[in-house]
Amino acid sequence: MNDKLVTLIGGGGFVGRYVAQALLATGARVRIAQRDPRQAFFLKPLGGLGQTQFVGADVTKPETIAHAIHGSDVVVNLVGVLAGDFQRVQALGAQTVAEAAAKAGVGALVHVSAIGANPESASAYGKSKGQGEAAVLAAFPTATILRPSIVFGQEDQFVNRFAGMIAKAPVVPVLRAGAKFQPVFVGNVADAVVAAASDPETYGGQTLELGGPDIITMGNLIRWIATTIGRNPSIVELPDFAGAMIAKAGFLPGMPITKDQWTMLQSDNVVTGTDGLAAFGIEATPLSTVAPGWLVRFRKAGRFGRRAATRAATPTELLDGRGAV
């Protein structure tokens, strides 16, 4: 990848910042494209002089994407939303990026989608992701599709959001406690993107799923987070009829929940297709080895709090019913 120009559409986001860092380490030139490029200026110190570039681009405005992609060797589409116009952003937007990449003669395209992407999905999110994948492959048949499970990392809005809720509430209600996830470390996702972008001859045209080493239930994830941050709330696993009512109301104490998110929770979010990390030769990072380092801020006295005498069980141990060890 040395000296190649890689354009990251949505490169200033949570996953994008890790992808940018991984690419810069290879010697690639990285162009960060997003609606407000000023939000990505924090990435400047990660690269050498002239190694990073920032441009304004919006997947709903084809002319801006064409401008951002011009002259690129590789394009990576990282754009996704959890609320709003899924069709416009994740289906039509993905098509716009792929068509622009094909027209510009780009050598490789990596499209980051999600496990559960399916044009026939009952979820608007999953349906738009599936339609986006189909549109990408139609316009750029040698694109690599990456489908991560829930992505965790220091800046994530999943593990951290639950930790914040647990730290404040004496009672924590849990929706779909038995739903399974396979959380994947954001650094592993970034390495997968670089691997796919570096070798389109091997990985082009493939759809690869990215999951971590642990498959955990929602209920056990909440318990693991609580133990890790030294909290002991009452954890109440709600029956599905109650969860459906809460989703209809659009609010779970401590955090919002949409009807579409409730629909997505009806299916497990685990690797069922080709294991992408294994295909790339990337060793999956367990949640329990990295998350405690940043979750410490949710302890009662933060980094100055007294550490537990015993370590918290890993999510897998909780799933197996082994508890704290």
Side-chain angles (χ1 to χ4, degrees), residues 98 109 132-145 204-207:
L109 171 63
E133 289 183 2
V136 166
L137 292 176
F140 203 112
T142 58
T144 303
I145 307 291
Q206 293 191 38
T207 297

Side-chain angles (χ1 to χ4, degrees), residues 101-128:
K103 186 175 181 179
V106 169
L109 171 63
V110 180
H111 177 73
V112 179
S113 183
I115 286 179
N118 186 338
E120 305 300 322
S121 174
S123 157
Y125 175 89
K127 182 176 183 177
S128 65

Side-chain angles (χ1 to χ4, degrees), residues 29-68:
R29 293 175 293 135
V30 179
R31 179 184 290 161
I32 308 296
Q34 60 183 66
R35 285 181 297 177
D36 185 354
R38 294 172 297 181
Q39 295 177 353
F41 283 175
F42 67 90
L43 293 170
K44 280 186 177 182
L46 298 180
L49 183 63
Q51 199 180 0
T52 54
Q53 183 182 21
F54 302 85
V55 298
D58 186 331
V59 295
T60 67
K61 299 177 180 178
E63 67 280 4
T64 68
I65 296 299
H67 172 72

Side-chain angles (χ1 to χ4, degrees), residues 165-166 169-175 177 218-227 231-238 318:
M165 181 173 69
I166 292 167
V171 179
V172 178
V174 182
L175 299 179
M218 177 67 80
N220 283 339
L221 175 63
I222 297 299
R223 292 184 181 88
W224 180 82
I225 294 172
T227 302
R231 306 283 182 161
N232 190 31
S234 295
I235 297 173
V236 180
E237 298 185 358
L238 300 176
L318 281 173

